[in-house]
Amino acid sequence: MIKTNFSNSKLIINKHEFNECYQRIKDELKHNYMFGWHQYLLANHDDLISEINQINTELQGYAKNMVVIGIGGSYLGSYAINEALNNGYHQEYQLIFLGQNLDSDYFNNVLAFCEENDFVLNVISKSGNTLEPSLAYELIKELMIKKYTYEGFKKRIIITTDAQEGCLRDECLKHDLKSLIINNDIGGRYSVFTSVGLLPLAFVNINIKELLLGAQAASKCYYTKDVNDAFYYALIRNNEYLNDKKVEALIVYNPYLRGLIEWYKQLFAESEGKNKKGLLPIGMVYSTDLHSLGQFVQEGTPMLFETNITFKSNNDISLKNFINNDALAYLSKYDLEDVNKIVNSSVIKAHYEIGNINNYVLALNELNEYNLAYLMTFMMYSCAYSASLLAVDPFNQPGVEVYKKEIKELL
Ligand code: PA5
């Protein structure tokens, strides 16, 4: 399902060493309580899908806009998939994200939109206590009660949080609000295929059954099979790190995958960046960034390697009419996707052969629910393996907790 090209790697490992290391890391993960997402992905979720579809049928009856409040892992997965699959200028339903920043202009814009347009609300926080989403919720709640009355507010909101703990759970109990549960053993950045991501994505008519099927197929492949590209990719990343390449740049050629970059940055940074270790994950959208950061990649400080993500287009555009254009006639034998691919190959060649920047490729067929979920799940396993190779816990984020605590003290 993912065609990998790791040929630039200088990693030398024999089959025996590979298997030994893979088994050891798998064993470590198996004993980590927060690896619950692995079992979750393998399980059947037809009941959850029905529940979500039922909730959304009701919510879609009220509005075409859903405000999604959440931060970090509580929104980045749905943000990434929504950007990738519900984009362009014609989408019927849209998600409006709030609670990831505290900027007054941003808030004013969203609140003004909500005054003028109908909307429903999904508040997502596992702890139920995070400052940014809590603050956003209070402001939106006030507006909703004013606009729709208290009873109307209750019909238009769904809360996704822990089953028992946190202020959001208390809020559900106090107002008798509809809620979905976030499993205790699944952390935010590994939760995209739980109710955290599925509810908002289903609201915009993304096929969540296909998402779960793609995630499950990858899950069966990247933990249980002996030949494992996700683990190999983790080893390659680790090898780059040990060879003083401290930055991984995720490269995409489709601007609608900008959200995927944001999701990937959080996944790897929060999982690996501990004990003064870890690769810094960054991302670039080519061709756009070839005309800005591309210069640095080619000739600047040699600190990074690139991992290219490509999807095959299903809706290609023929350039055959360019034959009548003297300046561009040489393109007429191609489709648009061929040109994008040729740019991709040329960039890899220039960066690798001249710039000495290693390039890896993860190539998939068309960009759809199944394949995107498959790729994201590949990344989740690779990330867990990669952090484990650095001997850090992939599933905690003690540094983030420090800042959360500082805020509480300062306020
Ligand atoms: O990956 C994580 O666990 C974190 O990034 C959390 O998702 C983020 O801090 C938000 O936490 P919460 O959902 O408790 O508001």
Side-chain angles (χ1 to χ4, degrees), residues 34 70-76 124-134 160-161 168 182 186-191 196 266-267 270-271 394-397 400-401 403-404:
M34 296 306 288
I71 194 166
S74 286
Y75 94 102
L76 278 164
I124 310 166
S125 173
K126 186 176 179 194
S127 64
N129 299 329
T130 309
L131 173 82
E132 292 86 345
S134 304
T160 311
T161 192
L168 273 184
I182 306 179
I186 303 180
R189 58 191 175 277
Y190 294 86
S191 70
V196 169
Q266 190 225 358
L267 176 68
E270 278 196 355
S271 299
F395 306 131
N396 65 2
Q397 55 284 328
V400 181
E401 306 307 333
Y403 120 86
K404 287 186 181 176

Side-chain angles (χ1 to χ4, degrees), residues 92-144:
E92 194 182 357
Y93 291 89
Q94 66 164 334
L95 302 179
I96 298 158
F97 292 96
L98 192 67
Q100 315 84 40
N101 65 69
L102 297 169
D103 183 75
S104 307
D105 289 342
Y106 186 90
F107 265 80
N108 271 323
N109 266 338
V110 174
L111 293 173
F113 179 88
C114 291
E115 296 261 13
E116 285 159 23
N117 298 277
D118 278 319
F119 68 99
V120 292
L121 178 64
N122 183 202
V123 190
I124 310 166
S125 173
K126 186 176 179 194
S127 64
N129 299 329
T130 309
L131 173 82
E132 292 86 345
S134 304
L135 187 152
Y137 170 55
E138 274 314 302
L139 290 173
I140 283 279
K141 178 177 155 191
E142 195 184 315
L143 186 153
M144 283 179 94

Side-chain angles (χ1 to χ4, degrees), residues 81-353:
I81 296 175
N82 180 56
E83 285 270 308
L85 301 178
N86 181 43
N87 51 47
Y89 305 104
H90 308 293
Q91 72 267 46
E92 194 182 357
Y93 291 89
Q94 66 164 334
L95 302 179
I96 298 158
F97 292 96
L98 192 67
Q100 315 84 40
N101 65 69
L102 297 169
D103 183 75
S104 307
D105 289 342
Y106 186 90
F107 265 80
N108 271 323
N109 266 338
V110 174
L111 293 173
F113 179 88
C114 291
E115 296 261 13
E116 285 159 23
N117 298 277
D118 278 319
F119 68 99
V120 292
L121 178 64
N122 183 202
V123 190
I124 310 166
S125 173
K126 186 176 179 194
S127 64
N129 299 329
T130 309
L131 173 82
E132 292 86 345
S134 304
L135 187 152
Y137 170 55
E138 274 314 302
L139 290 173
I140 283 279
K141 178 177 155 191
E142 195 184 315
L143 186 153
M144 283 179 94
I145 294 177
K146 217 151 102 202
K147 181 168 176 169
Y148 295 120
T149 74
Y150 178 66
E151 285 311 316
F153 153 73
K154 285 177 59 172
K155 286 185 192 149
R156 288 169 175 78
I157 179 175
I158 168 110
I159 287 185
T160 311
T161 192
D162 185 79
Q164 265 135 27
E165 292 184 359
C167 297
L168 273 184
R169 179 52 58 197
D170 298 344
E171 183 76 359
C172 292
L173 296 173
K174 183 169 162 201
H175 298 286
D176 190 24
L177 302 177
K178 281 187 291 292
S179 71
L180 288 168
I181 287 168
I182 306 179
N183 292 3
N184 212 263
D185 57 357
I186 303 180
R189 58 191 175 277
Y190 294 86
S191 70
V192 49
F193 302 117
T194 69
S195 52
V196 169
L198 297 181
L199 181 88
L201 290 169
F203 179 80
V204 292
N205 291 333
I206 283 172
N207 188 332
I208 58 172
K209 194 171 172 59
E210 279 294 303
L211 282 176
L212 283 166
L213 283 173
Q216 189 178 71
S219 194
K220 283 184 182 154
C221 191
Y222 296 124
Y223 184 78
T224 40
K225 290 259 171 66
D226 282 350
V227 182
N228 183 337
D229 276 350
F231 188 67
Y232 196 66
Y233 172 50
L235 286 172
I236 285 174
R237 298 179 84 254
N238 189 255
N239 192 50
E240 292 285 353
Y241 176 73
L242 296 175
N243 282 298
D244 250 5
K245 296 290 156 69
K246 304 294 190 210
V247 180
E248 176 182 42
L250 195 75
I251 307 297
V252 298
Y253 280 78
N254 172 347
Y256 295 126
L257 296 178
R258 223 178 260 282
L260 182 73
I261 290 178
E262 296 307 312
W263 174 84
Y264 146 87
K265 275 161 47 181
Q266 190 225 358
L267 176 68
F268 280 90
E270 278 196 355
S271 299
E272 285 196 329
K274 289 157 206 169
N275 302 345
K276 310 276 178 240
K277 295 191 238 181
L279 284 164
L280 173 68
I282 65 165
M284 299 179 217
V285 180
Y286 289 172
S287 291
T288 315
D289 288 328
L290 285 174
H291 295 257
S292 64
L293 294 168
Q295 170 60 36
F296 185 97
V297 176
Q298 184 75 47
E299 296 183 343
T301 315
M303 54 166 61
L304 58 81
F305 63 96
E306 294 173 293
T307 299
N308 297 264
I309 306 282
T310 63
F311 284 94
K312 204 167 153 355
S313 174
N314 235 3
N315 279 315
D316 212 358
I317 295 173
S318 163
L319 304 181
K320 64 175 187 294
N321 289 343
F322 282 30
I323 195 76
N324 303 318
N325 178 323
D326 286 349
L328 296 176
Y330 67 98
L331 293 175
S332 62
K333 61 178 184 255
Y334 299 113
D335 289 340
L336 184 57
E337 186 172 337
D338 298 330
V339 181
N340 208 14
K341 277 220 182 89
I342 290 167
V343 170
N344 181 203
S345 306
S346 316
V347 171
I348 291 179
K349 202 160 181 271
H351 287 185
Y352 178 62
E353 288 178 11

Side-chain angles (χ1 to χ4, degrees), residues 25-32 35 223 384-385 388 394-395:
I25 300 286
K26 278 205 317 186
D27 246 33
E28 263 175 47
L29 288 174
K30 198 165 72 190
H31 293 110
N32 191 322
F35 190 45
Y223 184 78
Y385 295 141
S388 304
F395 306 131

